[in-house]
Amino acid sequence: MKLVRYGKAGAEKPGLVDADGKIRDLSEHVSDVAGAALAPAQLKKLAKLDPKSLPAVRGNPRLGPCVGGTGKFICIGLNYSDHAAETGATVPSEPIIFMKATSAIVGPNDDLLIPRDSKKTDWEVELGVVIGKKAKYVSEEDALDYVAGYCVLHDVSERAFQIEHQGQWTKGKSCDTFGPTGPWLVTKDEVKDPQNLKLWLNVNGKKMQDGTTATMVYGVKYLVSYLSRFMSLQPGDIISTGTPPGVGMGMKPQKFLKAGDVVELGIEGLGTQTQNVKADA
């Protein structure tokens, strides 16, 4: 299934995308694509529904973040060997973990706002993993049992805030609009192998990133198991699994986003995003 949340920001309704690409309303079956609705048993119930029996959503409504009620937005740094190389970093011996504020989460096509005093706002297309049930001390072998599905994520990063200021990476990752999520939550049964997906990103029509999840240092199974050693993962939590090469920081000379730019990105089978870049008020 391809699950969506549509409507005005903060008042999104649950839906699914049918075989013709039309949104069907799920409000009579779940209150949101969040929490208990992500549990394996509930997803099985939704999968049994005939999409044609659900009300069709008229027009082209705004798409919100594809999962609601996210408690933790966990990111993995330098998780592609080729990305680590372009930034001059060493591949880490264990996953680098940092948090992105959940207030950064927006819809896949919402405006991307350059924060005040930003000089180095950068792009990063990433595979998102959405947790479906509580995971604590889970084995790598069983890890995917705790995954509800996958989505496209844009881990927008302000490099000066992230690297040149004192402290941790979080402040360079958490500005408002720095977490476009969606368009869909694609349930794991539709993703044959999360370690074999093409992902890409364009800025103003020019290809900047063109990679594959096959070059991840630490795969999805390992990451879910690893993170569950240090914190319980809850339904709706998001893991952003790292980015392939082609980020602005790695270019010579470096290149960063500015107001007026258009960013397009996507992952094979998981949909695409488009953001207009604007200056924050």
Side-chain angles (χ1 to χ4, degrees):
M1 288 182 296
K2 294 180 174 67
L3 300 175
V4 297
R5 299 171 70 249
Y6 66 94
K8 294 182 179 180
E12 291 93 346
K13 295 181 179 180
L16 65 77
V17 180
D18 68 17
D20 297 321
K22 296 179 180 178
I23 298 175
R24 300 280 180 165
D25 183 51
L26 278 175
S27 297
E28 293 185 4
H29 299 275
V30 292
S31 59
D32 199 357
V33 181
L38 301 172
Q42 183 60 56
L43 290 179
K44 286 182 180 179
K45 288 182 181 179
L46 295 179
K48 291 179 181 179
L49 296 173
D50 178 3
K52 293 182 180 179
S53 70
L54 302 170
V57 176
R58 296 181 179 179
N60 294 297
R62 168 190 173 269
L63 296 181
C66 62
V67 60
T70 296
K72 294 191 290 296
F73 196 156
I74 309 165
C75 301
I76 309 299
L78 300 175
N79 196 33
Y80 283 69
S81 55
D82 36 11
H83 170 57
E86 75 170 344
T87 61
T90 302
V91 173
S93 58
E94 289 188 47
I96 293 175
I97 302 170
F98 62 93
M99 296 291 193
K100 198 177 187 85
T102 56
S103 55
I105 298 173
V106 290
N109 304 315
D110 289 345
D111 291 339
L112 195 169
L113 302 179
I114 302 287
R116 292 182 184 178
D117 302 319
S118 168
K119 298 292 190 294
K120 298 181 178 182
T121 295
D122 205 348
W123 55 83
E124 294 188 18
V125 59
E126 306 202 1
L127 173 66
V129 179
V130 177
I131 299 299
K133 65 177 181 178
K134 181 179 178 180
K136 186 174 183 179
Y137 303 132
V138 303
S139 68
E140 189 172 348
E141 181 181 9
D142 296 334
L144 294 188
D145 293 344
Y146 298 84
V147 172
Y150 305 95
C151 63
V152 181
L153 283 174
H154 190 184
D155 176 22
V156 187
S157 308
E158 211 301 337
R159 302 302 189 185
F161 297 175
Q162 175 190 356
I163 299 169
E164 298 171 18
H165 291 236
Q166 293 294 314
Q168 299 180 339
W169 288 2
T170 302
K171 60 180 172 288
K173 298 283 190 170
S174 297
C175 303
D176 290 352
T177 76
F178 272 26
T181 304
W184 319 306
L185 170 60
V186 180
T187 51
K188 65 181 178 183
D189 58 291
E190 291 199 14
V191 180
K192 184 177 180 180
D193 182 2
Q195 304 309 145
N196 188 29
L197 299 173
K198 295 179 181 179
L199 61 172
W200 56 272
L201 182 145
N202 295 344
V203 177
N204 300 328
K206 182 178 180 180
K207 184 67 63 70
M208 298 297 185
Q209 292 185 275
D210 188 11
T212 169
T213 58
T215 64
M216 276 188 191
V217 179
Y218 302 104
V220 173
K221 291 180 180 179
Y222 185 89
L223 290 174
V224 172
S225 175
Y226 181 84
L227 290 169
S228 77
R229 292 166 49 190
F230 305 105
M231 64 192 85
S232 62
L233 304 175
Q234 304 291 335
D237 284 354
I238 297 172
I239 304 170
S240 197
T241 57
T243 198
V247 300
M249 179 176 65
M251 295 182 174
K252 295 180 181 180
Q254 294 181 333
K255 180 178 178 64
F256 299 106
L257 294 172
K258 62 184 184 303
D261 287 343
V262 177
V263 184
E264 300 166 289
L265 58 148
I267 301 178
E268 180 182 5
L270 303 184
T272 62
Q273 301 183 355
T274 300
Q275 291 117 33
N276 291 309
V277 181
K278 298 181 179 180
D280 202 357

